[in-house]
């Protein structure tokens, strides 16, 4: 686990890189958040990802250090005691979180940082990063499609599948608190929708101070 790296140091990195911000993809399990993130990374090499940490078991198609940092619960809780985590939550009995150091490393590389975060964890990110955090709620076309997607994973026991569907209905109530909604009925279209909102966010004046400064400089007779 990384050594303690606090909010002050992270804020310093943010101040030095005004063009950088975090885009959070959230929504119910099975909505396609991870697929959208990967599609965005494949299309735009200026986008970055922050590798978060979890105590859940690694799936067969995942790689440690790329998809997540997979650690034991003892390691995770030690990191909590040491103050390493920027945000964390317990989801379906497993711990998930992002360290200060991980997000700082991603921001230092400039550009936009992509994160997949559970619905409850998004509130913590928005509270701490404020306008440097853009939240996107990913919706499946319908609850029926969501059930089909989760069932198709072949990793969900009947009880777990039922619990995820119940939680999905509760999470939908939080969608109004997000900055944007994207419906993932077609993956390519959903990726393009998120690309477009990132383009819009990149042009906000607070993210382009160099552009404004250059314009003023050229305007001086």
């Amino acid at each position: 686990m990384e050594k303690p790296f606090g909010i002050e140091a992270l804020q310093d990195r943010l101040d030095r890189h005004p063009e950088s911000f975090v885009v959070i993809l959230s929504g119910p399990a099975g909505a396609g958040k991870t697929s959208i993130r990967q599609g965005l990374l494949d299309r735009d090499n200026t986008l970055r990802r922050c590798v978060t940490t979890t105590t859940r078991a690694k799936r067969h198609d995942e790689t440690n250090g790329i998809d997540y940092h997979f650690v034991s619960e003892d390691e995770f809780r030690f990191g909590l005691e040491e103050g390493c985590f920027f945000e964390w939550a317990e989801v379906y009995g497993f711990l998930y979180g992002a360290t200060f150091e991980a997000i700082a490393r991603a921001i230092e590389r400039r550009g936009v940082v992509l994160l997949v975060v559970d619905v409850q964890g998004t509130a913590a990110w928005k509270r701490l990063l404020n306008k440097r955090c853009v939240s996107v709620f990913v919706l499946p076309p319908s609850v029926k499609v969501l059930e089909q997607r989760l069932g198709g994973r072949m990793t969900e026991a009947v009880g777990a599948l039922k619990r995820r569907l119940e939680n999905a209905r509760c999470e939908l109530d939080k969608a109004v608190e997000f900055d944007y909604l994207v419906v993932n009925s077609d993956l390519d279209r959903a990726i393009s929708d998120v690309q477009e909102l990132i383009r819009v966010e990149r042009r906000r004046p607070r993210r382009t101070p160099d552009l404004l400064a250059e314009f003023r400089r050229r305007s001086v007779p």
Side-chain angles (χ1 to χ4, degrees):
M1 189 66 64
E2 297 149 347
K3 65 181 181 180
F5 185 101
I7 187 63
E8 295 83 5
L10 177 58
Q11 188 60 56
D12 177 67
R13 307 288 175 92
L14 287 167
D15 291 343
R16 283 190 272 140
H17 301 291
E19 75 285 358
S20 295
F21 59 98
V22 174
V23 174
I24 287 180
L25 300 173
S26 192
K33 306 178 292 293
T34 302
S35 296
I36 291 174
R37 179 182 63 182
Q38 188 56 52
L40 291 166
L41 292 169
D42 290 342
R43 292 187 185 186
D44 187 346
N45 61 13
T46 69
L47 301 177
R48 311 295 180 216
R49 59 170 301 181
C50 173
V51 182
T52 54
T53 302
T54 183
T55 61
R56 76 159 171 79
K58 182 174 70 70
R59 294 175 182 148
H60 73 280
D61 58 345
E62 293 177 324
T63 302
N64 188 37
I66 296 178
D67 296 286
Y68 286 97
H69 294 297
F70 295 95
V71 300
S72 68
E73 184 168 338
D74 285 345
E75 289 177 293
F76 195 104
R77 294 197 179 279
F78 177 77
L80 289 177
E81 292 174 2
E82 292 293 302
C84 294
F85 283 93
F86 177 77
E87 171 273 330
W88 72 281
E90 182 172 350
V91 184
Y92 303 116
F94 299 109
L95 303 176
Y96 293 80
T99 63
F100 285 101
E101 184 68 17
I103 188 64
R105 285 175 181 168
I107 287 170
E108 276 200 323
R109 295 175 64 195
R110 300 178 178 267
V112 178
V113 180
L114 298 177
L115 277 168
V116 173
V117 179
D118 65 276
V119 173
Q120 61 177 305
T122 301
W125 283 91
K126 290 182 72 68
R127 182 173 62 253
L128 290 169
L129 290 183
N130 200 358
K131 293 180 180 180
R132 303 296 286 273
C133 178
V134 177
S135 58
V136 182
F137 194 97
V138 180
L139 286 163
S142 67
V143 174
K144 182 177 180 180
V145 171
L146 181 65
E147 183 174 359
Q148 292 171 346
R149 289 178 181 175
L150 289 174
R153 283 182 175 178
M154 304 300 290
T155 59
E156 305 291 338
V158 175
L161 176 59
K162 182 179 179 181
R163 186 169 69 252
R164 285 184 184 272
L165 290 171
E166 290 173 349
N167 286 343
R169 293 185 175 92
C170 294
E171 288 169 340
L172 288 174
D173 293 336
K174 298 289 187 181
V176 295
E177 300 174 9
F178 283 68
D179 298 313
Y180 297 94
L181 295 177
V182 169
V183 179
N184 184 19
S185 54
D186 176 83
L187 181 58
D188 285 340
R189 176 61 184 273
I191 294 168
S192 295
D193 287 345
V194 180
Q195 271 190 305
E196 182 58 31
L197 70 87
I198 289 174
R199 290 191 191 101
V200 171
E201 288 292 332
R202 276 177 159 158
R203 305 315 296 174
R204 292 189 182 276
R206 63 176 174 268
R207 308 202 206 283
T208 57
D210 291 344
L211 177 65
L212 291 173
E214 177 65 14
F215 181 82
R216 291 192 181 97
R217 186 186 66 78
R218 292 182 177 180
S219 299
V220 175

